[in-house]
Amino acid sequence: MASSPTHTSSPRSRRSRLKRGSVALAGAAALVGGLLAPSAAVADQTFVSDADTSANVTHVANVPKTEAMSDFNSDLAFTGDYAIGGNYNGFVIYDISAPEDPQVVSEVLCPGGQGDVSVSGDLLYFSVDYARASDECGAPSVPTSDPNGFEGIRIFDISDKAAPQYVAAVRTDCGSHTNTLVPGKDGEHEYVYVSSYSPSVNFPNCQPPHDKISIIEVPLDDPASAQVIEAPVLFPDGGNTNTSGCHDITVYPKHDIAAGACMGDGILMDISDPTAPVVTDVVRDTNFAFWHSATFTNDGATVLFTDELGGGGGAVCTEAIGPERGANAIYTIDGFKGKKKDLQLEFEGYYKIPRLQSTTENCVAHNGSLIPVPGQDFFVQSWYQGGVSVIDFNDPAKPKEIGYFDRAPINEDRLVLGGSWSAYYYNGYVYSSDITRGLDVIKLTEPRLRPAERVGMDEFNPQSQPEYRPGRR
């Protein structure tokens, strides 16, 4: 690897403008090519929200995107007092030690498409699904038909949050649209499940059929030697008509289970051996267009799948589309307390936001997480320009909205892609990654959700679910 990312860093004022500078930083695996240092800070101003919210939801902060991260914001991961936001240009590290006044600590410029992120200690895993001329951060884009193009996972050392270091790159078939962290059981390794799809005979590194995932093994004492060790086929008999890989996988290591959202199929897996996942059930739904993501309840007995009808770019929260398309589907897991190989999914009900959106707002079910109220099932979820929805699904057959955050259309006259890509609960607040408007911080004041404030997490990857317990902060 010949070069590494360009960094930007900023002081506590998020309103600072950045200017180009340079600094040399030594690293065993990489060299930092440049540093963008901030100019003098602008005085803080009173934050005024531009969102409509329910009475039990308060919009407390927004961190606008900088020029360096002018492309689309995507997913989030959390470690300690930091949130890490993916972007099609790279990633941003935010200091959230004061949640109502978050600050940009650094920005790593390393384009490669969606930029899905997972964090593990000092390591950050970053998805690349747009082909680049090489694995270098500054490499230009190339056609997917280029046999030498790089797509896959980049690994960074983020022990210094102000100056992350590029450690390694691992090529995977069809690149990496999303990635899921799976802890190893020996304490010496961890694994990354890489999800990707849409093969073509014209793509030399993404040939059909692509009914598989890639599994990367990372030796914790030598992450630079990470490599693909398995590529298990999840659909040996072929998936549903449009299934050619998985969009996303959520694992629940405590229970050795995983749920896969695989385009035309929803699947349940036994991951007792994380290097050899076994599919135990496959479900299909005529109302689902694109199985997108999944979340387990804390007891592991229920799983909520999302349908990304229209690929995220469509206005599908309308009366014409109705309440059962572009929605969530909730399944209980039959046989959960029995043998993993016998687990089956049983459909319970749908949930879609009840607030109709305009035809100029892209809106559909997207990424969310549990709100950790012990013994209860509450969920916070992004809906692109449908905003953020707070959901009670204690009765999985009759889920209902109990709170919301919703902005006006970006453009009243035409459809413009934007809105909340991901909305996750972390240590007392909801953090929403808005595609165009930056990072939003939301406080929930609903009395039923107050017990969640006593649940603390040191690290959180929504696609690698922890078991939560009160009093851990």
Side-chain angles (χ1 to χ4, degrees):
M1 186 160 48
S3 69
S4 63
T6 297
H7 296 84
T8 70
S9 63
S10 79
R12 289 287 298 171
S13 174
R14 66 174 174 268
R15 296 173 178 84
S16 300
R17 292 188 176 275
L18 304 180
K19 63 182 180 181
R20 189 169 298 278
S22 64
V23 63
L25 297 174
L31 297 175
V32 174
L35 181 71
L36 301 187
S39 59
V42 177
D44 283 348
Q45 301 174 7
T46 302
F47 172 73
V48 178
S49 176
D50 60 349
D52 176 34
T53 66
S54 56
N56 55 1
V57 172
T58 303
H59 186 197
V60 297
N62 171 263
V63 185
K65 295 197 301 183
T66 66
E67 184 177 351
M69 294 292 145
S70 59
D71 213 327
F72 297 148
N73 275 348
S74 58
D75 217 347
L76 294 166
F78 303 86
T79 179
D81 288 332
Y82 300 92
I84 300 168
N87 182 281
Y88 280 57
N89 274 350
F91 63 90
V92 184
I93 298 181
Y94 302 93
D95 180 345
I96 56 172
S97 57
E100 299 190 15
D101 188 25
Q103 307 294 327
V104 173
V105 176
S106 61
E107 297 176 308
V108 173
L109 303 178
C110 196
Q114 184 165 307
D116 201 39
V117 290
S118 293
V119 63
S120 175
D122 291 336
L123 297 178
L124 176 72
Y125 301 105
F126 181 86
S127 289
V128 179
D129 67 341
Y130 285 8
R132 316 299 293 186
S134 73
D135 61 11
E136 298 176 1
C137 275
S141 62
V142 295
T144 311
S145 57
D146 185 339
N148 297 314
F150 170 77
E151 295 178 278
I153 292 290
R154 290 185 173 121
I155 303 174
F156 293 86
D157 179 339
I158 59 168
S159 53
D160 182 351
K161 302 297 187 294
Q165 297 287 303
Y166 192 179
V167 174
V170 182
R171 183 189 301 272
T172 60
D173 289 349
C174 295
S176 172
H177 191 69
T178 62
N179 72 80
T180 303
L181 177 70
V182 186
K185 296 186 176 183
D186 62 3
E188 298 179 357
H189 301 83
E190 61 190 14
Y191 303 90
V192 180
Y193 287 179
V194 176
S195 297
S196 53
Y197 55 92
S198 293
S200 168
V201 293
N202 298 316
F203 302 160
N205 299 319
C206 187
Q207 290 287 297
H210 183 71
D211 296 329
K212 64 182 181 180
I213 61 172
S214 297
I215 300 178
I216 297 173
E217 182 180 67
V218 184
L220 295 178
D221 62 352
D222 184 20
S225 65
Q227 61 181 330
V228 175
I229 59 164
E230 299 288 349
V233 173
L234 303 182
F235 302 97
D237 299 321
N240 201 356
T241 304
N242 65 337
T243 298
S244 58
C246 290
H247 178 275
D248 211 346
I249 293 171
T250 294
V251 298
Y252 197 166
K254 169 70 175 180
H255 295 292
D256 285 333
I257 55 176
C262 302
M263 302 182 71
D265 299 272
I267 65 174
L268 194 65
M269 291 184 283
D270 173 2
I271 59 166
S272 300
D273 178 354
T275 69
V278 177
V279 175
T280 65
D281 196 17
V282 178
V283 290
R284 295 169 181 169
D285 187 331
T286 56
N287 282 322
F288 259 46
F290 189 91
W291 296 73
H292 178 274
S293 54
T295 303
F296 291 100
T297 51
N298 190 55
D299 62 8
T302 302
V303 60
L304 182 154
F305 287 99
T306 68
D307 173 25
E308 195 183 44
L309 173 65
V316 303
C317 297
T318 61
E319 186 174 6
I321 296 297
E324 296 182 346
R325 298 173 61 214
N328 299 329
I330 302 170
Y331 289 78
T332 51
I333 301 176
D334 185 42
F336 176 70
K337 295 183 179 180
K339 296 181 180 180
K340 296 291 185 293
K341 67 181 179 63
D342 296 328
L343 298 182
Q344 302 287 306
L345 292 164
E346 297 290 339
F347 175 77
E348 297 290 345
Y350 294 111
Y351 171 82
K352 190 171 182 180
I353 57 172
R355 294 162 289 106
L356 296 178
Q357 305 293 305
S358 74
T359 57
T360 67
E361 293 174 286
N362 60 301
C363 174
V364 73
H366 217 239
N367 293 350
S369 73
L370 295 181
I371 300 171
V373 177
Q376 299 289 303
D377 296 329
F378 296 101
F379 191 62
V380 61
Q381 183 180 15
S382 63
W383 289 77
Y384 287 113
Q385 287 196 69
V388 175
S389 181
V390 183
I391 305 161
D392 175 346
F393 69 116
N394 284 286
D395 181 350
K398 296 180 180 179
K400 58 186 177 180
E401 182 172 77
I402 60 171
Y404 66 86
F405 164 96
D406 191 1
R407 285 187 167 104
I410 294 173
N411 190 306
E412 297 279 359
D413 300 318
R414 62 185 179 88
L415 183 63
V416 176
L417 183 66
S420 178
W421 180 293
S422 302
Y424 301 129
Y425 187 96
Y426 182 71
N427 292 345
Y429 290 82
V430 172
Y431 296 87
S432 168
S433 176
D434 190 286
I435 293 171
T436 60
R437 294 173 171 121
L439 180 74
D440 288 305
V441 186
I442 298 165
K443 183 68 175 176
L444 306 179
T445 57
E446 166 61 44
R448 286 172 287 181
L449 305 180
R450 286 176 185 161
E453 297 179 8
R454 297 194 294 271
V455 176
M457 290 180 278
D458 298 322
E459 188 173 279
F460 182 44
N461 296 293
Q463 287 75 43
S464 183
Q465 283 191 230
E467 180 186 46
Y468 59 74
R469 298 185 299 275
R472 290 185 58 205
R473 184 166 301 179

